[in-house]
Amino acid sequence: MKKKLEEHRDSELFYMLKGDKQTAEKAFAELYARLSPRVYAYCKRFLGNREEAQDVFQEAFVKFFESAKVEREMQNAPAFIIRIARNLCLNRRRKETVDLVSFEEYMIEDYEQLSDKEELLEILKAAIELLPDEYRDAFILREYDGMSYQEISEITGEKVANVRTRIHRAKQKVRDILQPYLREMQKFN
Amino acid sequence: MNMNKNTQNTPSELLTRLLDGELEYGQEQLLYDKLAQDPELQAEMNDMIAIRETVRRDTDAFTPPAELTNSVFSTLGFVAPMNQYPAPKRRYLLRYSVLALLFLAVSTFIAYQSDFIFGSKIPVVSSIQTEDGETRNTSKTNDAVTRSESSDLAVSNNSVSKNNALTTEDRNASSSLINIPSEQKPIAEEAPESESATTVQSNTNKDLIAFAETNQDGIIYNQLIDQSNSIIIDNPIGRHINDKQKAFSNSFDFARAISNIDSRNMQNTYSSGKREKTLNLRGVYAISNDENKLQSSIIESFTIAAFISSGFVENLSIGAEFGREPYNQIFVKQQSAGYVQDPSIVWLGIGAKYDFTEVSIYGITPFAQLVAGGSELGPIGRAFLGMSKTYSNGIGFNFGIESSLMLYKNQNKYYTSDKVSLSGGVLYRF
């Protein structure tokens, strides 16, 4: 019995991208459904800017599709496209001049209208953007994309030990920023 | 296990690895023992869990906007993915079943309750005496010579029941007898002499009562008498025995002016005026936005609407409208790893329609229609401006421009979706 599209593995769908247009379209749509949330989350949280994130997101998927014509095998499609997106994000960051501001200056929005949880989320987003690139990179790949240390090591080209350290330090920095708000919420809960 | 701070095995680092599922088996028990004794480590673990839960709530980061998805696919020469996730067949079946049931319920209600509420338009005539002396029931079926074995129109000899307009007693009886009081006899006597009994149906209309009799020549006189016993209409309708058509047409004309003698409903529509019902079925095609491009077929992008209304006051009718149509919206339904756009929604509302009959040209009448209601996603409002024409048989058509606005919520944010459409269809007045 013919397999349904959603029953195919990522590697099989990647191989189908080389087929005729109809097959490639269906395979791409299924891969897009599986991978787009993680890729979008990485681009959005790494770059912080919505328009830039969307540009990189689109470019990443176009490169992903075009690579199917060249690549013979694909063992880990999520890691592959995340790597593409990561490289594009890093290139985009290198072109920018970043003005460093303090956390207090960064937090200029009025959160009075938000609930405690919504406010905490906004602060988390701000904290992630304040992380150095290598820490932010590791934090997003771990917490948003659910990558293992080994996968992060393959994507970033860093040793696993370094990945561990970066993730730990990134989380500690985020925790340091969020801690006062977490204590406040615990008081009222 | 060494928990030296100079290695990567500090309690805090181990805790991070534990929460990431990367802690080696041999290190777990040591960490658990440490957690049991160190309140600061416990607090750190609670904070890390709270941060992870906050990340889970960051759904905005995981949802590519619809336009971005469209852009990706169109760049590659593909069709947008929302077209590849059609609504399950059972959902369509449920929608159409609900619409069909609703339509049946509303139309049934109108059909069976209209007589009671709005009054019947069925004209009737009284029973008449034929030349051979047989009394026949000429009511209800508009047939002037209908024989009824079990007629509810009893024959009476110039008698008026207590529930008719000429008496001061209760007028709501279902009795079909009218006894003409003695003071009415001069009226009857003014008519040609009648040898036969005459029966009319009483009605609860407080003003009018129908009276008909046949003289010896077989000529039927119909009279409409008001409370002051004045004759409003005195109309000879001629011989009827073998001239069914003539009798029917004459009696029909007369019957339009008399009350309904249905034994169940005794209301008189003569003085109350007509309450017209209209059913309008139309299609709506959006011209203002591009959701049509997102649909995989014409059926998906086409709107069907049905408006059922009843006359309220002059030129104004009130009714209900329902239909289904696509609205441009962000992803609302979760499927596999992301969200997909719903191709169409079902909506229902209450509306009012005003016909500008005073500016009608060649029978084509401008109208304005407003509908307020709800849809599967949220409240909806519609405004329709157009022209309509109805022919004498009750069938007609309308066309115009429609604007609609829908309010809906997604991921704790409110959105509006509006559209301008061309609309046209058929209508039936009854």
Side-chain angles (χ1 to χ4, degrees):
Chain A
M1 186 180 290
K2 204 174 177 183
K3 271 168 108 175
K4 290 182 182 176
L5 212 58
E6 47 267 25
E7 294 174 356
H8 287 279
R9 292 195 302 268
D10 291 345
S11 56
E12 293 171 343
L13 291 171
F14 186 81
Y15 183 77
M16 289 163 70
L17 293 179
K18 298 178 189 176
D20 59 275
K21 188 182 177 187
Q22 189 176 7
T23 305
E25 183 175 345
K26 289 180 183 177
F28 182 79
E30 180 61 28
L31 279 171
Y32 183 89
R34 295 181 190 182
L35 302 175
S36 61
R38 299 163 77 174
V39 177
Y40 189 70
Y42 182 86
C43 296
K44 189 121 186 261
R45 289 292 159 254
F46 188 87
L47 293 172
N49 181 281
R50 188 167 183 258
E51 285 73 28
E52 286 187 352
Q54 291 185 3
D55 289 343
V56 169
F57 175 87
Q58 178 169 334
E59 195 175 346
F61 269 97
V62 170
K63 284 183 180 293
F64 177 77
F65 178 77
E66 289 172 351
S67 67
K69 299 173 188 174
V70 179
E71 296 285 337
R72 293 183 182 179
E73 289 181 4
M74 175 57 60
Q75 298 298 330
N76 192 337
F80 181 65
I81 191 170
I82 290 288
R83 192 179 302 126
I84 295 174
R86 179 177 179 271
N87 291 336
L88 292 170
C89 287
L90 289 172
N91 290 339
R92 192 65 71 104
R93 288 291 272 203
R94 286 192 200 108
K95 292 176 185 175
E96 293 174 355
T97 51
V98 179
D99 296 324
L100 297 176
V101 296
S102 66
F103 179 73
E104 288 71 23
E105 289 175 320
Y106 188 90
M107 301 296 293
I108 58 176
E109 294 188 49
D110 181 12
Y111 295 131
E112 284 185 2
Q113 303 301 321
L114 301 177
S115 66
D116 289 342
K117 290 185 177 179
E118 289 170 343
E119 183 178 349
L120 189 64
L121 177 58
E122 294 301 316
I123 297 168
L124 172 67
K125 293 177 189 177
I128 294 172
E129 289 196 36
L130 288 171
L131 291 173
D133 285 356
E134 61 273 17
Y135 289 178
R136 186 184 326 119
D137 185 25
F139 182 87
I140 294 171
L141 288 170
R142 176 66 213 116
E143 293 300 316
Y144 279 84
D145 292 333
M147 297 276 182
S148 66
Y149 290 0
Q150 184 62 39
E151 287 175 324
I152 296 174
S153 169
E154 290 173 4
I155 291 173
T156 59
E158 298 287 336
K159 295 179 182 176
V160 174
N162 289 346
V163 169
R164 268 188 219 152
T165 303
R166 287 183 181 179
I167 289 173
H168 174 68
R169 290 178 180 173
K171 287 189 178 185
Q172 287 297 317
K173 283 188 176 293
V174 170
R175 185 197 174 212
D176 291 340
I177 296 173
L178 266 62
Q179 198 167 24
Y181 302 92
L182 290 170
R183 291 292 165 267
E184 199 66 31
M185 284 174 63
Q186 286 168 3
K187 277 184 192 176
F188 294 103
N189 288 340
Chain B
M1 177 65 64
N2 185 8
M3 290 199 175
N4 193 321
K5 286 187 180 179
N6 295 326
T7 70
Q8 293 183 343
N9 291 329
T10 62
S12 182
E13 288 170 342
L14 291 178
L15 180 62
T16 300
R17 274 185 261 164
L18 173 69
L19 294 174
D20 291 343
E22 300 276 353
L23 191 64
E24 294 169 7
Y25 178 74
Q27 295 173 311
E28 286 179 356
Q29 192 56 48
L30 290 170
L31 181 60
Y32 294 152
D33 293 338
K34 187 68 180 169
L35 270 171
Q37 299 163 7
D38 189 348
E40 285 187 12
L41 194 62
Q42 292 170 12
E44 182 179 346
M45 186 178 74
N46 291 334
D47 290 345
M48 292 302 180
I49 291 173
I51 291 170
R52 177 159 290 175
E53 288 173 353
T54 306
V55 170
R56 296 286 181 270
R57 285 197 301 273
D58 191 5
T59 54
D60 185 46
F62 292 98
T63 309
E67 54 269 18
L68 177 60
T69 299
N70 290 339
S71 180
V72 170
F73 276 72
S74 64
T75 300
L76 296 174
F78 296 152
V79 179
M82 55 278 290
N83 294 334
Q84 300 182 19
Y85 294 99
K89 287 184 181 177
R90 64 174 182 271
R91 197 196 310 168
Y92 276 126
L93 182 62
L94 179 63
R95 283 177 183 173
Y96 285 122
S97 299
V98 170
L99 281 175
L101 285 173
L102 183 62
F103 181 80
L104 286 174
V106 171
S107 58
T108 302
F109 175 82
I110 293 174
Y112 285 95
Q113 298 299 320
S114 61
D115 281 354
F116 181 73
I117 295 173
F118 303 116
S120 172
K121 283 175 57 180
I122 301 174
V124 293
V125 294
S126 62
S127 64
I128 54 175
Q129 198 74 20
T130 62
E131 280 184 331
D132 56 4
E134 184 179 356
T135 300
R136 292 183 176 180
N137 178 11
T138 63
S139 68
K140 291 189 179 180
T141 61
N142 289 333
D143 189 342
V145 286
T146 302
R147 182 192 297 268
S148 172
E149 295 298 330
S150 58
S151 169
D152 54 358
L153 304 178
V155 176
S156 166
N157 293 322
N158 291 332
S159 63
V160 177
S161 76
K162 63 178 180 178
N163 291 320
N164 64 58
L166 295 182
T167 71
T168 57
E169 295 177 340
D170 180 33
R171 298 171 183 173
N172 293 323
S174 59
S175 168
S176 59
L177 299 181
I178 293 179
N179 294 318
I180 302 175
S182 57
E183 57 267 27
Q184 291 300 307
K185 283 184 181 178
I187 297 172
E189 288 171 357
E190 288 173 3
E193 183 180 351
S194 170
E195 293 181 353
S196 63
T198 301
T199 302
V200 296
Q201 287 297 316
S202 68
N203 61 81
T204 55
N205 181 278
K206 50 181 181 247
D207 298 322
L208 304 170
I209 186 170
F211 175 78
E213 65 173 17
T214 308
N215 64 7
Q216 58 187 2
D217 296 327
I219 296 175
I220 300 172
Y221 280 81
N222 291 329
Q223 294 177 327
L224 201 61
I225 304 170
D226 67 1
Q227 267 197 324
S228 62
N229 299 324
S230 301
I231 299 175
I232 296 174
I233 296 175
D234 189 359
N235 177 34
I237 60 174
R239 296 183 185 277
H240 78 285
I241 304 301
N242 295 317
D243 191 352
K244 178 177 176 180
Q245 184 62 38
K246 182 179 178 185
F248 175 80
S249 61
N250 284 335
S251 61
F252 181 86
D253 290 337
F254 179 77
R256 283 166 65 86
I258 67 171
S259 62
N260 177 5
I261 63 172
D262 187 306
S263 61
R264 182 166 59 85
N265 178 8
M266 310 302 280
Q267 275 194 332
N268 184 358
T269 59
Y270 179 76
S271 60
S272 63
K274 299 175 187 177
R275 284 205 173 92
E276 208 169 50
K277 271 76 75 178
T278 305
L279 171 64
N280 176 214
L281 297 174
R282 57 193 175 88
V284 183
Y285 190 77
I287 56 175
S288 65
N289 52 16
D290 58 357
E291 89 273 11
N292 291 329
K293 298 176 187 175
L294 305 177
Q295 309 307 323
S296 60
S297 66
I298 296 177
I299 298 293
E300 293 275 355
S301 61
F302 202 67
T303 296
I304 303 170
F307 185 61
I308 304 171
S309 62
S310 176
F312 185 61
V313 295
E314 188 177 0
N315 292 345
L316 179 68
S317 55
I318 305 291
E321 187 173 62
F322 57 90
R324 65 173 286 272
E325 66 182 287
Y327 274 90
N328 200 12
Q329 58 194 266
I330 63 171
F331 294 125
V332 290
K333 291 196 181 294
Q334 192 168 11
Q335 188 173 88
S336 70
Y339 290 83
V340 295
Q341 187 171 94
D342 201 352
S344 67
I345 62 169
V346 176
W347 54 268
L348 171 69
I350 300 173
K353 180 168 174 277
Y354 189 85
D355 291 297
F356 297 92
T357 55
E358 53 272 17
V359 293
S360 179
I361 301 173
Y362 297 113
I364 299 177
T365 305
F367 69 89
Q369 180 176 306
L370 294 175
V371 173
S375 69
E376 295 176 59
L377 299 179
I380 198 166
R382 311 174 70 87
F384 185 23
L385 295 176
M387 311 285 278
S388 69
K389 181 177 173 65
T390 307
Y391 296 95
S392 56
N393 57 4
I395 297 174
F397 64 89
N398 64 359
F399 61 90
I401 295 180
E402 183 179 55
S403 173
S404 59
L405 178 72
M406 181 181 69
L407 177 70
Y408 67 101
K409 184 178 179 181
N410 179 258
Q411 297 183 19
N412 295 323
K413 292 181 184 177
Y414 285 94
Y415 298 88
T416 58
S417 182
D418 59 88
K419 57 195 291 189
V420 176
S421 312
L422 296 175
S423 180
V426 295
L427 52 88
Y428 177 61
R429 296 185 193 274
F430 56 95

